Amino acid sequence: MSERLETHELETRERETSQRQTPDSLMLCGFWYRALPSAQVTRNRLHKAMLLETPLVIGRDRQGRPFALRDACPHRGMPLSCGRFDGQNLECSYHGWKFDAHSGQCQLIPSLTSDQPLKVDRIYAGSYPCAENDDYVWVFIPEPPPSGAGFTKTVEPSFPAPRVPTFEGKYKIAHLTADLPCSVDHGIIGLMDPAHGPFVHQAWWWRSRHSIHEKQKNFEPIPMGFRMSAHTPSSNSAPYKLLRLYADADSITTTIDFVLPNLRLETIRAGKYWFSSLTTVTPITRSHCRIDVVACWNIFRWVPFGPALLKFVFAKFVEQDRQTMENQSEGLKHNPHLMLIDDADRPAKWYFQLKAAYLESRRMGGEMRHPMNGPVTLKWRS
């Protein structure tokens, strides 16, 4: 009797967990997000971007420093991207209101007469902290103000924008981007899914479904995320075999971190040689996200076309993922029942649990409770 009761309770918990871990498309505020590649943000031009369903206008001041404002004048909602920028202040094209590009503070309202006492400097357009790392402009998206409340002076975030880990001064860098027609949740769990590789990423120089074998990896909790502990990379892919030969290293180790809200960091070490990447899945709207990959390395630095070759490989992978997400979006239109199973889907479950724990900590004002109690060993076939 007690055994049947325990089984029933376990099945109930599994159903509740499955329901809670269905992608809900909630987008997390209070974090840095990649907005645009640095090369796209030129001086003397205003550039439109969308992050977390928030329209932004992005540009550079006279010193080349990036800035980001909400793309709506607080007067009548005219997009500020339609206005003029003199290198310091942005002028709305509708009534000529001027705003400081970095603080959003209003500098001028031309329609005011000398006897009208409106305190212009108390008016703000929405402004967002900006940083520039690894050839990308990052924007910090804070928690939104209460409904109906106006914008005030920007509060600087308490932590810096993420960077790709690097281990010496001389290295190559490359990046690529692709739009995904899905929610950020589906984009992220697709990014960390270990079982799709032999079916989605087939190539003669990588691996095929015929190379599927059992794997075992150790995971550990880290602040705001989890880590696939340092391990020997898969033996069934040509690039790793080539790296071992080139580096003449006793061992090659790979470490992969996932950190909220959307960061996947991978580091490969082979003696004095290294490769690292930071991949992000950025929510644009609830049904549209973007994947950005930036990689740095000191391996094969002498190869003339090294960055182009690496970009080709990454572009191949990203395009395969994009096509898969596009096909998946057709099925998701009909709101099918979804499930996460066994160890191969455990990282996806951790992601949803981390996300729920973060949102709960923001609601309650307490410390975030990590869903992992300690190191875990997972097994799957891929």
Side-chain angles (χ1 to χ4, degrees):
M1 178 67 178
S2 61
E3 184 175 335
R4 289 200 302 271
L5 182 60
E6 289 176 0
T7 301
H8 174 72
E9 290 176 347
L10 178 60
E11 290 174 347
T12 300
R13 286 198 299 272
E14 285 292 329
R15 284 196 301 271
E16 291 174 348
T17 300
S18 176
Q19 291 169 356
R20 286 197 304 271
Q21 292 166 348
T22 298
D24 55 17
S25 302
L26 287 176
M27 299 175 287
L28 299 182
C29 297
F31 293 100
W32 291 94
Y33 289 96
R34 280 173 172 155
L36 292 171
S38 295
Q40 290 185 19
V41 185
T42 55
R43 298 193 195 191
N44 303 318
R45 283 193 59 196
L46 298 174
H47 307 267
K48 301 178 72 169
M50 180 78 73
L51 293 178
L52 285 68
E53 297 189 335
T54 300
L56 301 175
V57 54
I58 296 175
R60 293 185 186 276
D61 63 17
R62 294 191 185 103
Q63 290 72 43
R65 297 177 303 162
F67 64 85
L69 296 175
R70 188 178 184 91
D71 196 14
C73 179
H75 178 212
R76 301 278 291 277
M78 173 65 71
L80 292 175
S81 57
C82 297
R84 302 176 184 86
F85 179 58
D86 63 6
Q88 179 178 350
N89 295 316
L90 201 159
E91 180 185 275
C92 178
S93 63
Y94 198 3
H95 296 92
W97 288 30
K98 286 188 177 181
F99 303 92
D100 180 89
H102 289 284
S103 68
Q105 186 179 46
C106 187
Q107 306 296 305
L108 175 69
I109 298 179
S111 64
L112 289 178
T113 62
S114 59
D115 61 341
Q116 291 173 337
L118 180 66
K119 295 185 181 299
V120 172
D121 59 354
R122 294 185 180 180
I123 300 173
Y124 285 83
S127 64
Y128 301 85
C130 270
E132 195 163 12
N133 291 336
D134 308 319
D135 295 339
Y136 267 84
V137 173
W138 293 73
V139 174
F140 184 83
I141 304 296
E143 295 290 338
S147 179
F151 291 98
T152 58
K153 188 175 181 180
T154 303
V155 177
E156 292 298 320
S158 59
F159 54 96
R163 306 186 72 112
V164 181
T166 56
F167 304 96
E168 67 170 45
K170 295 181 179 180
Y171 56 84
K172 298 287 188 179
I173 185 169
H175 66 85
L176 60 88
T177 184
D179 289 319
L180 301 180
C182 63
S183 73
V184 66
D185 285 341
H186 280 297
I188 286 176
I189 65 176
L191 186 70
M192 63 179 60
D193 173 15
H196 76 281
F199 305 95
V200 174
H201 300 304
Q202 296 184 39
W204 67 266
W205 41 265
W206 186 246
R207 63 187 64 159
S208 71
R209 66 177 64 195
H210 303 296
S211 66
I212 293 176
H213 62 280
E214 185 171 307
K215 296 180 180 179
Q216 177 175 303
K217 297 290 189 294
N218 298 320
F219 290 79
E220 57 190 291
I222 58 175
M224 301 291 286
F226 54 87
R227 169 174 295 155
M228 183 188 291
S229 307
H231 60 279
T232 302
S234 299
S235 59
N236 58 343
S237 60
Y240 288 127
K241 294 176 183 178
L242 180 62
L243 175 59
R244 183 185 294 276
L245 179 65
Y246 171 81
D248 191 26
D250 293 333
S251 65
I252 302 175
T253 59
T254 298
T255 304
I256 300 175
D257 291 355
F258 174 79
V259 181
L260 283 181
N262 64 343
L263 311 177
R264 182 190 186 274
L265 299 102
E266 181 171 1
T267 302
I268 302 171
R269 304 297 298 266
K272 65 180 181 180
Y273 297 105
W274 55 268
F275 169 93
S276 65
S277 65
L278 172 57
T279 302
T280 56
V281 181
T282 300
I284 306 302
T285 68
R286 291 180 182 270
S287 59
H288 172 206
C289 62
R290 189 187 69 243
I291 184 170
D292 295 297
V293 184
V294 174
C296 298
W297 68 95
N298 73 345
I299 303 168
F300 304 123
R301 280 198 301 116
W302 51 268
V303 176
F305 303 105
L309 179 61
L310 189 68
K311 197 166 185 176
F312 168 80
V313 172
F314 269 94
K316 181 77 170 177
F317 284 171
V318 170
E319 174 55 24
Q320 290 168 336
D321 281 326
R322 189 203 64 77
Q323 185 62 57
T324 298
M325 294 297 176
E326 187 172 301
N327 294 338
Q328 183 190 30
S329 67
E330 289 298 313
L332 293 174
K333 288 179 181 178
H334 307 288
N335 195 29
H337 173 76
L338 304 177
M339 64 179 71
L340 298 175
I341 63 167
D342 301 326
D343 283 9
D345 284 334
R346 190 78 66 86
K349 294 180 180 181
W350 288 333
Y351 162 67
F352 288 119
Q353 291 166 353
L354 282 164
K355 187 175 177 180
Y358 172 78
L359 291 170
E360 181 67 14
S361 70
R362 298 303 295 256
R363 281 193 295 267
M364 304 302 293
E367 186 175 345
M368 177 176 161
R369 183 177 179 181
H370 203 291
M372 297 176 66
N373 296 322
V376 178
T377 299
L378 302 183
K379 296 180 182 180
W380 63 82
R381 284 173 52 80
S382 71

